[in-house]
Amino acid sequence: MVAAVTAPACSSHLLFSTSPSPSRLSPPQLCVFDSRTVVSSQNIMCSGKKKHVLGGGIKCMAVSTTSEAETKKGKFEIQTLTSWLLKQEQAGVIDAELTIVISSISMACKQIASLVQRAGISNLTGVQGAVNVQGEDQKKLDVVSNEVFSNCLRSSGRTGIIASEEEDVPVAVEESYSGNYIVVFDPLDGSSNIDAAVSTGSIFGIYSPNDECLADIGDDATLDQTEQRCVVNVCQPGSNLLAAGYCMYSSSIIFVVTLGNGVFAFNLDPMYGEFVLTQENIQIPKSGKIYAFNEGNYQLWDDKLKKYVDDLKDPGPSGKPYSARYIGSLVGDFHRTLLYGGIYGYPRDKKSKNGKLRLLYECAPMSFIVEQAGGKGSDGHQRILDIQPTEIHQRVPLYIGSVEEVEKVEKYLA
């Protein structure tokens, strides 16, 4: 019981009193009273209700036993890509060498993101003047990004062979010993959008080493035909991928990765210069109402595919047709599909008999990611991850996205 209190000069006071209940589980009471009033001990007996006004100007509120600092404990907690990778290593999901490889890739992505953002200022837009192995004009940033990616992987000391979409042949990394991880990558997907500042991205896939395939490299860093076939054997079907991911350069820089146990997204925080975990175990919706096809090639498609797209545009009983969304960047279109559901497609046509997307550098890594998110990747007839590559720059048609949407297009093409 509290003795009578005489009001001091200040306008109000806080006073604690214990609950009259014998139960120790009841929280203490916080009483706020007007200092202009003299309060007797009887008036300070609080009701125990969350907010109650008694005679004499007293307001009583229950005080939580959890401090305000404890309730806000997680507000500023962040998990970076580095700390997340270390946790995966501690859990035995990956080893220390793979942690270093993925960290090196993330560093390459940070550098490329900076180059993309400053492309107009640094005069890195436009065409380089060269043509890559696919017969495509190389943008200046294609060449620079490829060099950045290659250098980061070389310096990691944990890669045996790296294969880039921009290189004619795979490159053996002389600084490391034989049998290390094999990394395939597209350093800058959607580079045709650079001049217009539209979304672009980098794609990568990581395979385990194969001791049965040893490339004997001298001073020449390139591989002959026999060694190229060796690399193809090492770069087995996408189902053998250990890890895959992409980095999207857009309004924010998003690094998405899977280690075969779910899909995780990290945003680059410009304040810290670190990728911060923002989404865990991403799951693609089972179906969706968005399709992403380059309908400029409509007249070059076969009739079955035309019928499929025509039916998507038909409102049907619901009165709502599918929405068309096409960026022209695989990373951008895929990321939207991953989050919202639907389907992305780059089919074969009369001009491109096998489509334009590369199996090793684009289709397999993206299909590995989408399957980890509960989706599906197909060439229209079979699972992308089951396709055995026969050449380094092999192209395949791609239909990727929500399970129901991909299965739907497969039925049309059957």
Side-chain angles (χ1 to χ4, degrees):
M1 196 66 70
V2 185
V5 181
T6 303
C10 60
S11 61
S12 63
H13 281 276
L14 300 180
L15 183 66
F16 286 93
S17 73
T18 57
S19 171
S21 169
S23 172
R24 293 187 179 182
L25 298 177
S26 301
Q29 307 298 321
L30 173 61
C31 298
V32 182
F33 63 91
D34 193 328
S35 62
R36 291 173 296 181
T37 306
V38 177
V39 185
S40 68
S41 61
Q42 289 80 7
N43 287 336
I44 298 177
M45 293 297 294
C46 299
S47 67
K49 295 182 180 179
K50 185 174 183 181
K51 183 176 279 190
H52 185 69
V53 180
L54 299 178
I58 296 180
K59 297 179 181 180
C60 298
M61 297 169 288
V63 181
S64 172
T65 55
T66 304
S67 68
E68 184 178 354
E70 288 177 339
T71 59
K72 294 183 179 179
K73 184 178 179 181
K75 185 175 181 181
F76 296 103
E77 286 184 354
I78 61 173
Q79 186 170 0
T80 65
L81 174 62
T82 302
S83 61
W84 180 81
L85 286 171
L86 290 174
K87 285 186 177 180
Q88 302 304 308
E89 182 185 333
Q90 291 169 356
V93 177
I94 57 177
D95 61 19
E97 292 198 348
L98 189 53
T99 299
I100 294 172
V101 172
I102 297 175
S103 295
S104 299
I105 291 173
S106 71
M107 177 57 69
C109 292
K110 289 179 188 178
Q111 294 183 48
I112 294 171
S114 178
L115 290 169
V116 168
Q117 290 173 340
R118 292 182 51 82
I121 301 171
S122 304
N123 193 30
L124 286 174
T125 57
V127 178
Q128 172 75 10
V131 176
N132 66 13
V133 69
Q134 286 84 32
E136 301 163 335
D137 289 332
Q138 286 183 311
K139 297 285 185 176
K140 294 177 183 177
L141 264 179
D142 280 326
V143 177
V144 176
S145 298
N146 183 64
E147 186 174 347
V148 168
F149 229 99
S150 298
N151 287 342
C152 283
L153 289 171
R154 285 173 182 268
S155 62
S156 74
R158 297 297 184 274
T159 51
I161 295 175
I162 57 177
S164 168
E165 181 192 0
E166 299 299 328
E167 299 282 355
D168 294 344
V169 294
V171 177
V173 182
E174 299 173 20
E175 291 86 348
S176 63
Y177 55 86
S178 179
N180 279 353
Y181 287 104
I182 295 151
V183 182
V184 295
F185 60 92
D186 181 353
L188 194 60
D189 171 75
S191 57
S192 59
N193 290 320
I194 285 291
D195 296 0
V198 179
S199 300
T200 54
S202 300
I203 307 170
F204 66 90
I206 304 173
Y207 291 87
S208 62
N210 188 338
D211 293 334
E212 296 177 1
C213 183
L214 304 177
D216 183 16
I217 304 299
D219 294 333
D220 187 3
T222 60
L223 307 178
D224 61 24
Q225 292 183 352
T226 302
E227 289 161 339
Q228 285 186 55
R229 289 198 298 271
C230 181
V231 174
V232 172
N233 291 332
V234 174
C235 297
Q236 298 168 29
S239 55
N240 287 354
L241 277 164
L242 294 179
Y246 61 86
C247 188
M248 183 173 72
Y249 314 116
S250 185
S251 57
S252 58
I253 313 303
I254 303 175
F255 188 88
V256 177
V257 64
T258 178
L259 305 176
N261 61 345
V263 181
F264 299 80
F266 300 79
N267 279 48
L268 182 62
D269 189 332
M271 182 181 295
Y272 304 116
E274 293 281 354
F275 283 109
V276 177
L277 180 64
T278 51
Q279 292 174 287
E280 298 183 67
N281 293 311
I282 299 173
Q283 289 292 303
I284 187 172
K286 295 296 182 184
S287 61
K289 283 290 185 179
I290 297 175
Y291 73 98
F293 287 73
N294 182 1
E295 292 190 74
N297 294 326
Y298 181 88
Q299 296 299 331
L300 301 176
W301 295 342
D302 62 38
D303 293 337
K304 292 180 180 179
L305 187 60
K306 289 180 181 178
K307 170 66 174 162
Y308 166 74
V309 173
D310 290 342
D311 287 350
L312 293 183
K313 297 176 182 179
D314 185 354
S318 67
K320 294 183 178 180
Y322 279 59
S323 296
R325 299 284 186 273
Y326 187 72
I327 298 172
S329 165
L330 173 59
V331 171
D333 281 312
F334 177 83
H335 189 70
R336 181 198 59 247
T337 304
L338 181 66
L339 298 182
Y340 302 153
I343 185 170
Y344 169 87
Y346 206 115
R348 59 166 52 94
D349 55 41
K350 294 176 182 178
K351 183 175 62 177
S352 303
K353 300 298 182 182
N354 292 311
K356 290 191 68 176
L357 300 180
R358 267 66 57 168
L359 173 60
L360 285 179
Y361 314 109
E362 297 164 320
C363 301
M366 288 306 203
S367 295
F368 187 61
I369 294 168
V370 83
E371 287 196 8
Q372 287 297 317
K376 188 173 183 179
S378 170
D379 69 350
H381 303 283
Q382 64 176 321
R383 180 178 177 235
I384 288 289
L385 297 185
D386 289 337
I387 300 176
Q388 174 70 48
T390 56
E391 51 184 272
I392 295 295
H393 296 289
Q394 181 176 343
R395 301 172 190 259
V396 293
L398 178 66
Y399 303 93
I400 193 168
S402 301
V403 170
E404 292 182 10
E405 304 304 328
V406 175
E407 290 179 348
K408 181 177 179 181
V409 73
E410 284 180 329
K411 291 178 180 177
Y412 274 82
L413 298 177

